[in-house]
Amino acid sequence: MCGIVGYIGSKCAAPILTEGLEKLEYRGYDSAGVAVLNSGAIEIRKFKGRLAVLDEDIKKKSIEGNIGIGHTRWATHGEPSDVNSHPHANEKSSIAVVHNGIIENYMEIKEELQAKGYKFVSETDTEVVCHLLDEYYDGNLVEAVQKVVGKLEGAYALGVMCRDNPEELIAVRMTSPLIVGIGEEENFIASDIPAILKHTKNVYIMDDGEMAIVKKDSISLMKIDGTPITKDVYEVNWDVEAAEKGGYDHFMIKEIHEQPKAIRDTLSPRLSNDNTIKLDDIKLTKEDLDNFNKVYIIACGTAYHAGLLGKTLIEKYVKIPVIVDIASEFRYSNPFIDEKTLMIMVSQSGETLDTFEALRLGKSKGARIMAVTNVVGSSIAREADDVLYTWAGPEIAVASTKAYTTQMASFAIIALDMAVKKGSISDEEYEVAINELKQLPDKAAEILEDIDFVKDLAEEIYESEHVFYIGRGIDFDVAREGSLKLKEVSYIHSEAMQGGELKHGTLALVEKNTPVIALAAQDRLYDKMLSNIKEVKARGAHVIALAKKGNKEIEKSADRVIYIPDVTDELSSALSVIPLQLLAYYVASLRGCDIDKPRNLAKSVTVE
Ligand code: M6R
């Protein structure tokens, strides 16, 4: 989704803005631009396409000036084009605006403004903000912004600069994320930390309905109505290197390799030597757990797939029924939520709009809200009653990998903690589960020791038009994740199917050499899966099976076998997914795809 960066200080603003935008590229975008106050005039450069186009233009003709705003746009209103790119400005080019999110009532405002004679040049919702500011501005930019925000509806963040107020930048947050970076004799605004991390690790995380007046040597924070507020400074605990490729060709492969560490970092602070669990920000008591009669797990995409494992683990250990739903569906359904409901929101970014709105819906109906998220201080974390942070570190590739495996590990620990508190697990079962969990990082590392085999498999399937993934139980859940990974990074059509469901329709698509990735990593369902493998093999499929080490029998039925270390059925999917991520990565690489920034996708989906 769109990215914002802003600078005010004594340095040349343009390179700071473009470098910041480069760090936001991972969010997904289709055009980029900057506005800089240069010798008493606002100069705007903006282009459709990659940031390199903007960089090239600035290289040809530099822009001077020490105050500016920049933006990467992910088109919502109007096609990707130079004119629809941000920043936008009023007719006199005295006020420039960058905007993330959506202004829902922009049509109505646009008509009012057009009736007053304002001329619109773009198809964007953002342009109404520029003309409204023009209408309200009488020398006081803060007051003009306050009046404008009073008229706008929607979820958005704004960065505003004005030729006639050259000492300040204004930042507004209404749901869409925004931070203010605190420097020395210079300050920043940004939609995400990586954009300004090179310059400062100290930030204010803005809340909904807040505004910041950012000057070179001061930052004033206030509610939109002008009431001053104070905030703690959040110190970022990771550095620039964590958000760099570190010698790998892509962030995706780097992040796949970071999984053993990410899982260890997520688990070890919570597991003591005596096998007890301590969860920092989860305050659920036995009484709370006895009160719940159901759990909803709500998320989107990969986080939803992690939620599916959450259901298996919570139902097994805590013995409470769990419903897992896609956030965008949940919001418009008629869910049965009351004070007896626990809702667990799963989101790497903590900013996915549908998940966030689902949280608010649950809250309004009295549910207790738990968040599993990777981003400290994100919207979802802040509105939840209980939080479990996955310590995966920054995930930059659009395709989620280490966030997923740490979400899975988090569900294991949440389910076991709840089960102990509720008294729904035997000591013996608990010991087995904890000991397995402790070995998970090492077993993940073992898979990554030898990946050449997966590269060979990628060679076998990368020219296919369709790839099927089959599995049962949690193998099916991870089949869905494997299929999503392949389609999003390699653009090969792929579908995941329950093994037993194939013959009810999808089997018609299996013909000679159709690649079928068959997950058979659970002892409990192994025989059933073997029958499904034989079914597709009999139709000529090229079967790549995934099984636990030591299973030689499966080699008789499959063309190829990927082995994972021996593990309990419950935790097998946290390992099975790793070869599937690698397969997607190497197939995409052979097809020459833009792996870290797949077409049409964004890292953090902050619009509906
Ligand atoms: O930040 P979130 O976990 O809320 O994001 C949810 C999905 O957009 C995300 O998992 C998406 O499906 C991944 N990019 C897939 O790899």
Side-chain angles (χ1 to χ4, degrees), residues 398-411:
V398 166
S400 184
T401 54
K402 60 178 179 169
Y404 177 63
T405 39
T406 56
Q407 285 159 358
M408 291 166 116
S410 301
F411 268 116

Side-chain angles (χ1 to χ4, degrees), residues 537-550:
K537 191 69 209 146
R539 272 84 190 169
H542 177 68
V543 177
I544 299 172
L546 186 147
K548 283 183 197 162
K549 216 174 216 165

Side-chain angles (χ1 to χ4, degrees), residues 300-303 346-350 352 398-400 407 484-485 488 605:
C300 303
T302 294
V346 195
S347 174
Q348 187 283 129
S349 61
T352 300
V398 166
S400 184
Q407 285 159 358
L484 175 66
K485 251 357 30 125
E488 73 173 322
V605 184

Side-chain angles (χ1 to χ4, degrees), residues 420-492:
V420 169
K421 285 181 182 151
K422 197 169 154 66
S424 55
I425 188 168
S426 70
D427 290 351
E428 201 190 352
E429 199 180 7
Y430 178 80
E431 287 303 312
V432 171
I434 286 285
N435 286 327
E436 271 295 329
L437 199 52
K438 284 185 162 173
Q439 293 173 45
L440 201 59
D442 288 341
K443 289 182 179 175
E446 195 182 321
I447 296 175
L448 290 162
E449 271 162 23
D450 181 15
I451 55 177
D452 286 349
F453 182 60
V454 185
K455 288 184 189 165
D456 295 343
L457 296 177
E459 294 271 1
E460 288 174 16
I461 68 167
Y462 82 99
E463 285 175 315
S464 307
E465 235 179 290
H466 312 279
V467 175
F468 293 90
Y469 287 72
I470 59 172
R472 288 170 174 257
I474 59 172
D475 276 339
F476 170 59
D477 302 339
V478 80
R480 295 168 81 171
E481 175 59 13
S483 164
L484 175 66
K485 251 357 30 125
L486 184 77
K487 70 179 93 158
E488 73 173 322
V489 298
S490 76
Y491 316 147
I492 293 181

